[in-house]
Amino acid sequence: MYKLLIVDDEPQILEGMKRTLDWEKYGFGCIETSETADDAISKAVAIYPDIAIFDICIGKDRGYEAISKLNGLGLPTKYIIMSGYNEFEYAREAIRCGVKDYLLKPVNRSKLQEVVEKIIVEDLHGTLEGTSDVNLDPVLGVRYDSLSKLTNHILLTVKTEYEQNITLKMVAEQFRMNGTYLGQIFLKETKMKFSEYVMAYRMLKARERILSTDDKIASIAHSVGYSNLGYFYTHFHAYFDKSPSDLRR
C-alpha cells in the first residue's frame, strides 16, 4: 500500500488532485492533504509518504523549501512540484531539491499519470498490474507485465519525454548501457525499433490532441516533439493514411 501527500493552500485544488487519478488503482491506500507548509512537514514525518505533491507557493512559503527540510530529515519520499508559474528560478530550486517533475497548473491528467507511473516502476519498484485502464501499452497492444522491467522503464521514459528530442543514445546513457545493445534488446522484445516506437507514440498523442482540442496543427506537432512541420505531416499521413486536417473533420 502506497501513501500520498498533496500540499496546496487552496482546498479546491486539493480536492481536484484527489480526483484527478484513480489513486486506489495505483495502490494508494492512504491519501493525506495539507494547506500549510508546517502541517505538510508534520504529516510527512508522521506517515512517510511514498509520493508527495507540493504546490510551489503555499501561502507565503515555498514548496521546495519544505521539500528541502524533509530531505534533510532523510525521508525516502519522491516529490512532484506543481505550479501556476512558469518561472525558471522556481524550476531550478525544485531541481536542486531532487523533485521528480515540475508540472504547470492546471495539472494535465495524462502528464501526472505518466510521472506517477514512472515513479511507481522506477523508484518504488512496483508494477502497474492493478491499473486495468493503463495495463496495455497503446502502441504495442501488450500488457506491461508481459514485458521485462528494462523494457517497461524504456517505455515509461518515452511516455514522459516524448515531447523532447528523445533518442536511443540519450536513453542508453540514462541506463548506463551501450546504445546499440539497448536497441537490440528493445527490438527483440517489442518487434519494433526504438525510433519507430517513439514515432508511433507521438502520432497517438497527436491524434488525441487533434480530436480533443482546437489547437493549431503546428502547435500540436511541436507539443509532441516535432520541430519540423513537414516531417510531422509526412509521418502522420503514413501512420493514419490521412492528414491531420482530414482527421479533425
Side-chain angles (χ1 to χ4, degrees), residues 30-43:
C30 172
I31 300 178
E32 292 284 347
T33 61
S34 292
E35 295 180 27
T36 69
D38 288 341
D39 183 61
I41 292 173
S42 296
K43 285 185 176 176

Side-chain angles (χ1 to χ4, degrees), residues 113-129:
Q113 177 179 304
E114 291 167 1
V115 175
V116 169
E117 287 176 14
K118 189 171 185 180
I119 292 175
I120 289 174
V121 174
E122 293 189 357
D123 298 293
L124 305 181
H125 308 296
T127 67
L128 305 176
E129 291 180 19

Side-chain angles (χ1 to χ4, degrees), residues 137 140 142-152 155 189-190:
D137 183 82
L140 302 175
V142 300
R143 292 171 59 90
Y144 289 118
D145 56 10
S146 71
L147 302 169
S148 68
K149 194 169 185 177
L150 175 60
T151 297
N152 267 295
L155 297 182
E189 189 164 0
T190 67

